[in-house]
Amino acid sequence: MSQQLNNSRPQEEEINLREELEKYLKYWPWFLLGVIISLGIAFVYLKVTSATYHTTASIIIKDEKSKSPSSEMAAFADLGLLGGMGTNSIENEIGILRSKRMMTNVIKALNLNVTYHNENAIKNQELYLDTPYFVQVLLLNENKLASYTRDEANEFYLEVNEKENFHLINTETGKKYQGNFGQPIEIPFANIILLENTEFQSKDIGQSVKLKIRFTNLEPVVLDYRNRLQINLTDKNSSLIELGLDDQVKAKAQDILDQLILEYNREAIEDKNLVARNTATFIDERLQIINKELDSVETGKEQFKEANRLTDIEAEAEMFIENASDYNKREQELSTQLELANTMIDYLQSDSRSDLLPANLGIEDQSVNTRITEYNNLVLERNRILSGSTAKNPVVIRLNDQIDQIRANVLESFERLRSNLRVSKEELNRQGSVINSKISAVPGKERQFRGIERQQNIKESLYLFLLQKREENSLSLAVTAPKAKIVDRAYSSSTPVSPKPKIILLSGLIIGVLIPFLVIYLKNILSNTVKSREDMEKLAKEIPVVGEIPKIAKKENEMVLKHDRSVLAESFRILHTNLQYLIVNAADKEKGNTIFVTSTVKGEGKTLVSFNLALTLANTNKKVLVIGADLRNPQLQRFEEDARLYNGVSDYLAGDKFKLSELIRTSMHHENLDLLPSGSIPPNPSELWRRTKTGEMFKELENQYDYIIVDTAPSLVVTDTFLINKWADITLYVVRAGYTEKKLVNFAVDSKRDKKLHDVSFVLNDVKWANFGYGNKYGYAYGEEKESILERLKNKVAIW
């Protein structure tokens, strides 16, 4: 038993899934139309939208820690000034590459805030370098440009009149600005120069280009490319960085990435050079300080030596010892010189001026020897002249005067020499005692001298070290390597990253199916009206649905004609057939059958169903009468133009003035169809229906006609139908698809249960083609000429 249950569940689930699918498959024209429209939009989008390509470049950030000590930081490192500083992490370098300042430098360098577009092209793609003319911005007022950007007046068309003449036409205001190529021109927010692109390939193409030049502030351009820039670290343990950028122009994206790397290296080199220059400044300042300190130490050393009369302590100590033995020799020499000086002084004071002075006596003073020689020469010349002249000769007199003067000088020189020698002798004696004291003071002076010399050596070493570092720093300043090594220069993908045709077309296909699905799904969920036979069978299982009337297009005929093979006629024929099985004791009944047609509210199609059912029965050679039983709002005039003008049911029930035979009229549409109009609209329809004449009227009419179709009033609104329903053999309850609310169907069920209506059957009116029949899979057009797929699609869409 349980196995049977288990076997039945999948089957039920399969049936339910099939039913759910059929709810959507019956709207297949909308799905097909949605797919066609979506694919068409996707195709147009692919044709109009410019392709976007991915551009990639890769660099390696050099590790500062692995650099040699001869780098620009080696001087500071050797000096111990960078002990607490390390190299920046790779995340910091990525942050620099992403910085707004770096991207601003790139945009300025490439002049990317000025763009060029070809208005004649289908795709409004930026021309970039493939433009016949370039704009060089001399001066840009960002504030004015910002106001023009808000007014959309920052775009200009280029109109070239002659070879050297052009016009810039503002796209918003239409104002023209005339200028010449290569010469400055002033526009409201900038001073620019327009130049021809010498690398532009074809002038014929340039003539077909309707060039539009757009000026934009740096800020939005910088933010746009900064947001689009992709920087990825390929591996956590490496310094290889991959830069990426998506753009519609390959060359532009490549230039941006290459320029970004260039700006990064340039800034890094400037930073390194700044460090080197600061290092040089620091070293120069330290050299000045060390130089002053070294001068101070050397001056102290000099003063110490001067104060102690030292040159070399060891040498002087040896010299003091050696000079101790030389002292006596020197003293003897001085005594000899002193004796010679005394002798010569005595000689000059006693001797006449005519005698020559002795020379080459060993006197050490050369000035004295020179004067003696000069004196002797004058004496010899005078004596030579006197040999041939007298003493009164003017020359002899002049020479005598010179001889006396020089003799006095010689005497003075010897006296000075004697005094000097005496002083020297005294000094020598003093030095003798000093030498002896110095020999005893050598150890203490040596200790002091060693301390001064130690300070001098330290300052000299530091001074030489700084000189060496200054030269190393100068070399590093002259030769600075870039920080980022380029692994791959910027290159673009051959296939676009967007839009991707396969994805776009697939998306269009999915959207084309999804939108109708969602519309139908939401429509079914939000709808509170009856749509199809399935809805009726779920809402009221105890009341059968005996007929479905299709939705009629506006241009189609609402009535069933003779020999009519339309879907409308076939639906009423099916209704007629189903009624034959519902008529109780139809075979034994000799009188005609009375069929009431009612509904819940106004507008559900009671009159249409009544009249067409009567026409269908009349086409079977049956005598049929249509009664307009809605005395409050008669509608038979829709099919019989003058029906409202005739007397009818209300006039018959109100008194004995009219007979039924006088009120019944033959329909203009069929010879077997008669019409009993509603007549004059009474003030008390319910009271009229309560009269005994009502039953007499139905009995009399049943004897005259095979079928009596009664078009009654809405059951929910008024009580008229309930009052006369006892005379009905069958009650057809009309429900209009898409109009009657589902909750109103319960009114028919309750009325049957309360026995207010009997022998009730539903007729579903105005059913859309998609909901008609059993999912419209089989249809009611058997034997008709088949329409083309396009015509059927058009009809289904129109009916739906």
Side-chain angles (χ1 to χ4, degrees):
M1 181 69 177
S2 59
Q3 185 176 1
Q4 292 178 357
L5 291 174
N6 292 333
N7 293 335
S8 63
R9 286 174 184 174
Q11 184 178 0
E12 290 178 359
E13 292 179 0
E14 182 181 356
I15 294 174
N16 293 335
L17 178 61
R18 186 181 302 165
E19 289 179 356
E20 291 298 323
L21 287 175
E22 287 179 354
K23 289 181 181 180
Y24 298 96
L25 291 177
K26 60 187 177 182
Y27 298 107
W28 66 266
W30 285 102
F31 286 96
L32 179 61
L33 184 62
V35 169
I36 293 173
I37 293 175
S38 298
L39 290 178
I41 294 174
F43 182 77
V44 173
Y45 174 79
L46 291 174
K47 288 295 181 182
V48 173
T49 305
S50 300
T52 300
Y53 298 88
H54 182 69
T55 303
T56 305
S58 55
I59 58 175
I60 291 179
I61 304 298
K62 295 182 180 178
D63 187 4
E64 299 291 339
K65 295 180 180 179
S66 63
K67 288 193 173 181
S68 64
S70 61
S71 67
E72 69 278 353
M73 299 301 293
F76 279 150
D78 290 343
L79 291 174
L81 298 177
L82 299 178
M85 296 177 61
T87 56
N88 290 334
S89 65
I90 197 67
E91 289 79 8
N92 293 340
E93 303 304 319
I94 293 176
I96 294 174
L97 287 169
R98 289 185 185 275
S99 66
K100 180 181 177 182
R101 170 177 49 82
M102 195 69 65
M103 186 57 71
T104 301
N105 294 336
V106 172
I107 300 303
K108 286 182 178 179
L110 298 178
N111 199 25
L112 296 182
N113 60 323
V114 181
T115 55
Y116 311 90
H117 302 268
N118 182 12
E119 288 297 303
N120 290 334
I122 296 177
K123 296 181 179 180
N124 189 17
Q125 186 173 356
E126 182 182 350
L127 297 177
Y128 190 51
L129 299 178
D130 194 20
T131 173
Y133 305 99
F134 279 127
V135 169
Q136 181 179 351
V137 180
L138 302 177
L139 179 65
L140 181 65
N141 191 324
E142 293 276 344
N143 295 329
K144 285 187 178 180
L145 179 57
S147 62
Y148 274 86
T149 303
R150 286 193 296 268
D151 297 336
E152 298 182 356
N154 61 329
E155 298 179 349
F156 296 85
Y157 286 120
L158 176 63
E159 184 180 89
V160 180
N161 299 328
E162 300 175 1
K163 187 175 182 181
E164 300 294 334
N165 183 264
F166 65 86
H167 283 97
L168 285 177
I169 306 171
N170 191 284
T171 58
E172 183 70 17
T173 63
K175 186 176 180 180
K176 291 186 178 182
Y177 302 89
Q178 184 177 356
N180 297 322
F181 289 103
Q183 296 182 5
I185 177 176
E186 184 176 353
I187 57 178
F189 47 79
N191 292 336
I192 63 173
I193 295 177
L194 192 65
L195 302 173
E196 292 190 47
N197 186 4
T198 57
E199 298 181 0
F200 192 68
Q201 296 180 354
S202 174
K203 291 187 176 180
D204 296 335
I205 298 176
Q207 294 175 357
S208 64
V209 173
K210 185 181 180 182
L211 189 63
K212 184 172 74 172
I213 304 173
R214 180 182 301 159
F215 297 87
T216 311
N217 276 340
L218 286 173
E219 185 77 12
V221 179
V222 169
L223 292 178
D224 177 45
Y225 283 103
R226 184 170 172 239
N227 293 331
R228 289 159 54 188
L229 179 65
Q230 307 165 15
I231 303 179
N232 299 315
L233 184 62
T234 56
D235 190 87
K236 292 182 179 180
N237 298 323
S238 71
S239 59
L240 180 63
I241 295 177
E242 186 176 274
L243 307 176
L245 184 64
D246 293 340
D247 198 87
Q248 296 177 354
V249 183
K250 293 182 180 180
K252 184 177 181 180
Q254 293 171 6
D255 289 347
I256 290 175
L257 294 183
D258 288 338
Q259 187 67 31
L260 181 62
I261 298 172
L262 178 64
E263 292 292 334
Y264 174 79
N265 280 331
R266 180 185 61 78
E267 188 173 277
I269 290 173
E270 287 181 355
D271 291 342
K272 294 176 184 178
N273 290 341
L274 178 60
V275 172
R277 286 192 292 269
N278 292 338
T279 304
T281 302
F282 170 78
I283 291 175
D284 290 339
E285 292 175 354
R286 291 300 302 165
L287 281 174
Q288 292 178 3
I289 296 173
I290 297 301
N291 189 32
K292 291 180 180 179
E293 293 177 352
L294 184 59
D295 289 344
S296 176
V297 172
E298 289 179 345
T299 302
K301 181 179 179 181
E302 182 182 356
Q303 291 175 351
F304 180 80
K305 285 185 175 183
E306 289 177 353
N308 294 277
R309 296 182 178 182
L310 298 175
T311 54
D312 188 346
I313 290 181
E314 295 179 356
E316 285 188 1
E318 293 177 359
M319 184 187 69
F320 290 156
I321 296 173
E322 291 176 359
N323 287 343
S325 63
D326 294 339
Y327 170 74
N328 293 328
K329 182 179 178 180
R330 180 61 180 163
E331 184 179 10
Q332 185 179 358
E333 291 176 353
L334 287 175
S335 298
T336 301
Q337 290 292 321
L338 185 59
E339 281 296 323
L340 288 174
N342 291 328
T343 302
M344 287 299 299
I345 291 172
D346 292 341
Y347 177 81
L348 288 172
Q349 290 177 349
S350 62
D351 194 11
S352 63
R353 62 183 182 182
S354 60
D355 294 336
L356 294 173
L357 294 175
N360 298 323
L361 294 177
I363 297 174
E364 294 179 354
D365 193 343
Q366 293 299 325
S367 63
V368 174
N369 291 329
T370 301
R371 286 184 175 87
I372 291 173
T373 302
E374 186 180 357
Y375 175 82
N376 289 335
N377 289 336
L378 289 175
V379 171
L380 291 174
E381 186 178 358
R382 182 196 67 180
N383 293 335
R384 183 180 56 79
I385 295 173
L386 284 176
S387 65
S389 177
T390 63
K392 295 183 179 181
N393 190 335
V395 177
V396 174
I397 295 171
R398 180 175 59 79
L399 289 174
N400 286 332
D401 293 338
Q402 290 180 357
I403 289 170
D404 292 340
Q405 184 178 0
I406 292 175
R407 188 182 179 88
N409 292 335
V410 172
L411 178 62
E412 183 181 359
S413 295
F414 273 107
E415 289 177 350
R416 185 170 58 250
L417 176 61
R418 184 178 62 184
S419 63
N420 289 338
L421 290 172
R422 288 175 180 173
V423 172
S424 296
K425 188 175 180 180
E426 292 176 357
E427 180 65 24
L428 184 62
N429 292 332
R430 186 184 62 79
Q431 286 181 356
S433 61
V434 171
I435 288 173
N436 293 328
S437 64
K438 284 184 177 180
I439 290 174
S440 62
V442 164
K445 291 181 179 180
E446 184 177 7
R447 179 181 57 79
Q448 294 180 8
F449 182 77
R450 290 294 183 187
I452 296 173
E453 196 173 45
R454 187 182 303 110
Q455 290 295 325
Q456 182 186 15
N457 291 335
I458 292 173
K459 301 297 181 184
E460 284 181 352
S461 299
L462 183 56
Y463 184 78
L464 294 175
F465 173 77
L466 290 175
L467 286 178
Q468 179 184 358
K469 291 306 172 184
R470 185 171 67 178
E471 293 302 317
E472 291 177 358
N473 186 68
S474 299
L475 290 175
S476 67
L477 184 62
V479 181
T480 304
K483 189 173 186 179
K485 178 181 179 181
I486 300 176
V487 179
D488 288 320
R489 298 190 68 85
Y491 63 93
S492 300
S493 60
S494 57
T495 57
V497 294
S498 68
K500 294 184 177 180
K502 292 182 179 179
I503 295 178
I504 295 298
L505 292 175
L506 180 60
S507 300
L509 178 63
I510 294 173
I511 292 173
V513 174
L514 187 60
I515 290 178
F517 174 82
L518 291 177
V519 171
I520 296 169
Y521 178 76
L522 293 175
K523 189 176 180 181
N524 290 335
I525 290 179
L526 299 177
S527 176
N528 63 343
T529 60
V530 176
K531 299 293 183 183
S532 62
R533 174 190 287 266
E534 289 81 0
D535 294 340
M536 296 298 300
E537 291 174 349
K538 291 178 181 178
L539 294 171
K541 296 181 179 180
E542 59 268 38
I543 300 177
V545 179
V546 295
E548 292 179 89
I549 310 302
K551 186 178 183 66
I552 302 172
K554 292 182 178 180
K555 296 181 180 180
E556 293 181 355
N557 191 359
E558 290 185 318
M559 291 190 299
V560 176
L561 305 176
K562 249 184 183 181
H563 310 296
D564 194 345
R565 299 180 62 188
S566 65
V567 177
L568 179 65
E570 293 296 337
S571 64
F572 276 100
R573 292 191 184 102
I574 293 174
L575 175 59
H576 175 212
T577 303
N578 292 335
L579 288 177
Q580 302 303 313
Y581 296 99
L582 297 177
I583 296 175
V584 180
N585 300 321
D588 299 333
K589 190 174 181 181
E590 297 180 357
K591 298 180 180 180
N593 297 303
T594 303
I595 301 173
F596 275 37
V597 180
T598 187
S599 66
T600 307
V601 293
K602 175 185 175 183
E604 293 180 299
K606 299 183 301 297
T607 305
L608 182 141
V609 173
S610 301
F611 203 86
N612 282 307
L613 178 59
L615 285 173
T616 303
L617 295 173
N619 286 330
T620 60
N621 294 322
K622 300 293 183 178
K623 190 68 174 175
V624 182
L625 174 65
V626 176
I627 300 177
D630 188 355
L631 304 184
R632 303 170 188 269
N633 185 24
Q635 293 293 323
L636 287 178
Q637 65 273 4
R638 286 178 51 193
F639 302 96
E640 295 286 344
E641 295 180 1
D642 299 331
R644 178 165 288 196
L645 302 177
Y646 303 149
N647 294 320
V649 175
S650 60
D651 300 297
Y652 173 76
L653 296 177
D656 298 329
K657 184 177 180 180
F658 299 99
K659 294 181 180 181
L660 283 177
S661 59
E662 298 175 353
L663 300 175
I664 296 174
R665 299 179 181 277
T666 303
S667 173
M668 64 180 67
H669 298 291
H670 201 285
E671 63 276 6
N672 292 331
L673 178 61
D674 290 340
L675 180 67
L676 179 58
S678 301
S680 303
I681 298 177
N684 51 351
S686 299
E687 295 180 0
L688 291 179
W689 286 121
R690 284 187 173 94
R691 293 187 177 185
T692 56
K693 292 188 67 174
T694 302
E696 296 175 358
M697 178 185 70
F698 282 110
K699 290 180 180 180
E700 183 177 351
L701 294 176
E702 285 179 357
N703 294 326
Q704 299 179 18
Y705 295 95
D706 297 318
Y707 292 97
I708 301 169
I709 309 298
V710 182
D711 181 18
T712 65
S715 301
L716 181 64
V717 181
V718 293
T719 188
D720 297 358
T721 304
F722 296 143
L723 294 175
I724 59 175
N725 188 254
K726 59 184 178 179
W727 307 108
D729 295 321
I730 296 175
T731 302
L732 298 181
Y733 202 100
V734 179
V735 175
R736 184 177 178 180
Y739 181 84
T740 304
E741 296 181 7
K742 293 180 178 179
K743 61 183 180 180
L744 296 181
V745 177
N746 294 327
F747 179 78
V749 177
D750 294 339
S751 298
K752 180 182 180 181
R753 289 176 181 174
D754 297 338
K755 298 182 179 181
K756 295 179 181 179
L757 299 176
H758 66 88
D759 297 315
V760 181
S761 298
F762 282 126
V763 175
L764 186 59
N765 182 34
D766 204 24
V767 182
K768 291 181 179 179
W769 181 257
N771 298 323
F772 192 60
Y774 288 91
N776 194 28
K777 183 177 180 180
Y778 306 101
Y780 290 101
Y782 175 76
E784 288 187 359
E785 184 179 353
K786 292 185 178 180
E787 298 175 337
S788 64
I789 295 177
L790 182 61
E791 290 176 348
R792 281 188 287 171
L793 177 62
K794 189 187 299 181
N795 292 333
K796 287 187 176 184
V797 171
I799 292 174
W800 194 75

